[in-house]
Amino acid sequence: MRILSIQSSVSYGHVGNSAAVFPLQRIGVEVMPVHTVCFSNHTGYGAWRGPLMSGDEVREIVLGIEERGGLAGVDAVLSGYQGGDSIGDAILDAVDRVKHHSPDAIYACDPVLGNARSGCHVAPEVQRLIRDRVVPRADLITPNQFELGFLTGTAPDTLETTLDAVDRARELGPQTVLVTSVERPDRPAGTVEMLAVTPAGAWLARTPHLPFKVNGSGDVTAALFTAHVRRTGDAADALARTTASVFALLERTLAGGGRELELVAAQEAYAHPELRFAVERVR
């Protein structure tokens, strides 16, 4: 399997490609990373150094890959945070180029917009870019519950309203939706859920809610789910494996007490996940 991953990169810590590439490689995926920024660290620290890439620079890198024949045999294009129209256009251009050479490739988009606690934290132009131009071109999206509501103009909270919102999202274009950080009022206390929906059905996985927030876990989730579902076509199995891997990564990180993901220390959880969380069919 080969994935073209167009995301941010940091030298210290793990977000974007710096979070997604190694877990993918550990499960046997050949990854071609294209960086949209090259920062010292993620912006959550309040200060960072390093350059932003322009859309033209991203295009040049993808063009160079194409000239080597590297866009043939690609299984998926993966994208995360998009900082503006320039990068968004370059990613959509890359999707077109990949699908020209690899017609069966999918575009998997993590529509990074914000979360329920802090609201939208991207500029209005990025909100419009993601909602109006990027999501309709995607085959698979991995929003959290807040982002799903933003994309569909709804306020999902129960399982039923979340499923309804997913149906609206799928009407926009993507046929596979993974909803992360599902927090419905009737779930068991101290838990959090993920919901995977495809034309074949809908499945829910539940884990304990760990009492901390760490950057990059969503990037790992999107990468692993994309690879698993693309490899097998089985959303329930992809959900089970992704849930197990990411929970083990977060457990390891919490135990370590640091601010950054224990990405390398948890590597066996990607290659050999302990499938300890049941996946329930809900539709």
Side-chain angles (χ1 to χ4, degrees):
M1 177 177 290
R2 300 177 69 213
I3 290 179
L4 178 68
S5 182
I6 309 176
Q7 302 195 58
S8 59
S9 176
V10 297
S11 295
Y12 178 80
H14 302 289
V15 298
N17 272 335
S18 303
V21 171
F22 177 67
L24 288 173
Q25 291 172 329
R26 193 64 181 82
I27 64 171
V29 177
E30 183 69 43
V31 188
M32 297 180 289
V34 177
H35 304 323
T36 56
V37 307
C38 293
F39 285 169
S40 55
N41 51 272
H42 68 71
T43 58
Y45 284 95
W48 62 92
R49 296 182 184 272
L52 289 159
M53 306 294 282
S54 70
D56 286 341
E57 288 169 326
V58 170
R59 278 192 179 87
E60 281 292 296
I61 294 170
V62 174
L63 178 58
I65 296 171
E66 183 179 38
E67 290 171 341
R68 306 284 82 75
L71 299 187
V74 171
D75 295 281
V77 179
L78 175 64
S79 73
Y81 172 74
Q82 300 186 23
D85 286 346
S86 171
I87 292 296
D89 287 339
I91 291 172
L92 293 178
D93 181 67
V95 171
D96 286 340
R97 290 178 180 273
V98 166
K99 291 195 172 188
H100 173 75
H101 296 281
S102 304
D104 292 333
I106 65 167
Y107 172 34
C109 170
D110 184 6
V112 180
L113 295 165
N115 58 64
R117 290 171 179 79
S118 60
C120 256
H121 52 60
V122 299
E125 70 168 87
V126 177
Q127 298 172 25
R128 293 189 294 270
L129 166 72
I130 296 294
R131 182 190 61 213
D132 300 336
R133 296 177 53 217
V134 174
V135 166
R137 294 281 302 280
D139 301 290
L140 185 164
I141 58 172
T142 60
N144 60 36
Q145 195 171 24
F146 168 82
E147 291 161 341
L148 175 67
F150 179 89
L151 293 171
T152 58
T154 63
D157 52 2
T158 66
L159 178 59
E160 290 73 21
T161 57
T162 302
L163 285 166
D164 287 344
V166 169
D167 289 340
R168 293 195 186 195
R170 294 180 63 239
E171 289 172 358
L172 298 174
Q175 291 304 291
T176 300
V177 178
L178 175 70
V179 188
T180 63
S181 302
V182 175
E183 298 182 0
R184 54 193 174 104
D186 57 342
R187 74 189 189 280
T191 65
V192 65
E193 297 168 330
M194 284 204 292
L195 174 71
V197 183
T198 74
W203 296 267
L204 193 72
R206 180 184 304 124
T207 71
H209 185 275
L210 297 176
F212 79 130
K213 174 72 172 70
V214 63
N215 295 85
S217 58
D219 302 316
V220 177
T221 300
L224 289 176
F225 184 80
T226 296
H228 288 313
V229 80
R230 185 67 182 88
R231 178 174 279 158
T232 68
D234 186 335
D237 178 73
L239 179 61
R241 292 179 180 278
T242 301
T243 300
S245 296
V246 174
F247 186 81
L249 167 62
L250 292 175
E251 264 191 325
R252 185 71 177 252
T253 301
L254 179 61
R259 183 169 179 174
E260 298 292 342
L261 289 171
E262 294 277 353
L263 196 75
V264 175
Q267 62 182 285
E268 284 302 306
Y270 323 137
H272 307 288
E274 181 185 350
L275 304 180
R276 48 181 160 153
F277 303 110
V279 171
E280 174 190 1
R281 183 162 191 155
V282 292
R283 190 168 70 187

